[in-house]
Amino acid sequence: VGLFVNKKIKKTYIAIDISPIYRSKAGVGCYTKNLAGELSQIKNRGPYLLFNLEEPMREMASRRIFRFVSVIRRILWEQLLLPLSLWSKGVDIFHSPAFVCPIFKTCRTVITIHDMAYLLYPDKFVNTYRRYLKFWVPLSIKVADKIITDSACSKRDIVRLFRISEKKIEVVYLGKSRDFQPITDKSSIDNFREKNNLKRDFILYVG
């Protein structure tokens, strides 16, 4: 468990599960990394805690076994070790950035549900992970005090699929990394077009 806290400031303690950073560099991992990074730049933000569970070794011979072990460890972390840690540290508000939160609540809880793809496009998901989400997301939605989602479309999907009040969900649009800036050097754009045989107008898809 990783823990960072400014003990000199006596304010509301906010905790974030940053485990997604260690599971993936894209998607939710990228979201969580940037969230924690931007929070660290806020002055007078008060104390906050960062908890994480390291993933098992990826050198396992079988990918299927790795996924199974990973999900089991994740459940034990989220539903047993994490709530005990939140309680022992006296956390007031907990934010889970990756769909699922502890069902045994020890403090007020916020979860980010990025989309409903695992229900709307189940064939795009690994079976183990889809079953994990299908079981734990509905329970997390029930116990969470507030839900954050990335778009108005995802908010409508959550309301429709789980029949919950719109008032419980807040749409918070995703930002961008400071690494992404407008390109002012026209020649670099022309060189990129020429190298990749692109027409004057084109769409760059990275999803």
Side-chain angles (χ1 to χ4, degrees):
V1 175
L3 172 61
F4 306 87
V5 59
N6 184 343
K7 296 182 179 179
K8 295 181 180 180
I9 305 174
K10 298 298 181 181
K11 295 182 179 180
T12 300
Y13 279 79
I14 300 175
I16 305 173
D17 182 5
I18 61 170
S19 298
I21 295 176
Y22 303 94
R23 289 195 291 265
S24 173
K25 293 181 179 180
V28 181
C30 181
Y31 167 84
T32 306
K33 180 180 180 181
N34 283 286
L35 176 65
E38 291 300 317
L39 282 174
S40 69
Q41 301 299 316
I42 299 175
K43 295 181 179 179
N44 302 319
R45 65 183 180 274
Y48 69 93
L49 314 177
L50 304 178
F51 293 95
N52 76 276
L53 172 69
E54 293 184 359
E55 284 293 285
M57 293 181 64
R58 293 182 178 272
E59 287 77 11
M60 287 184 177
S62 170
R63 181 173 295 182
R64 182 175 296 180
I65 294 176
F66 165 75
R67 288 171 177 161
F68 177 76
V69 172
S70 181
V71 167
I72 294 300
R73 291 180 79 250
R74 183 172 177 176
I75 293 172
L76 290 174
W77 159 249
E78 289 173 339
Q79 304 305 326
L80 180 61
L81 298 178
L82 181 56
L84 288 174
S85 297
L86 296 174
W87 174 77
S88 66
K89 300 299 180 183
V91 170
D92 300 293
I93 301 173
F94 171 68
H95 178 205
S96 171
F99 294 89
V100 173
C101 67
I103 305 307
F104 176 66
K105 286 179 62 177
T106 60
C107 61
R108 295 180 67 81
T109 302
V110 179
I111 56 173
T112 298
I113 297 179
H114 299 273
D115 53 51
M116 288 283 99
Y118 77 95
L119 289 178
L120 300 176
Y121 308 100
D123 58 310
K124 305 299 182 182
F125 283 74
V126 175
N127 188 48
T128 306
Y129 185 52
R130 186 181 71 250
R131 289 174 180 271
Y132 158 82
L133 291 173
K134 195 171 183 180
F135 182 83
W136 290 106
V137 169
L139 296 176
S140 298
I141 287 175
K142 287 183 179 180
V143 303
D145 297 285
K146 204 72 175 179
I147 298 170
I148 296 172
T149 193
D150 300 344
S151 68
C153 178
S154 292
K155 178 177 180 176
R156 290 192 297 270
D157 287 339
I158 296 169
V159 170
R160 174 174 57 86
L161 293 170
F162 294 98
R163 301 182 182 275
I164 63 173
S165 171
E166 292 185 359
K167 296 180 179 179
K168 191 173 183 177
I169 307 172
E170 293 291 337
V171 175
V172 180
Y173 296 111
L174 300 177
K176 67 174 182 64
S177 168
R178 300 179 192 275
D179 296 334
F180 296 98
Q181 300 291 337
I183 298 175
T184 56
D185 182 8
K186 183 176 181 297
S187 63
S188 65
I189 299 177
D190 292 336
N191 291 336
F192 180 82
R193 283 199 180 100
E194 184 178 352
K195 180 181 179 181
N196 293 279
N197 193 27
L198 295 170
K199 296 180 180 179
R200 200 68 192 170
D201 296 322
F202 63 92
I203 297 174
L204 176 62
Y205 174 70
V206 295

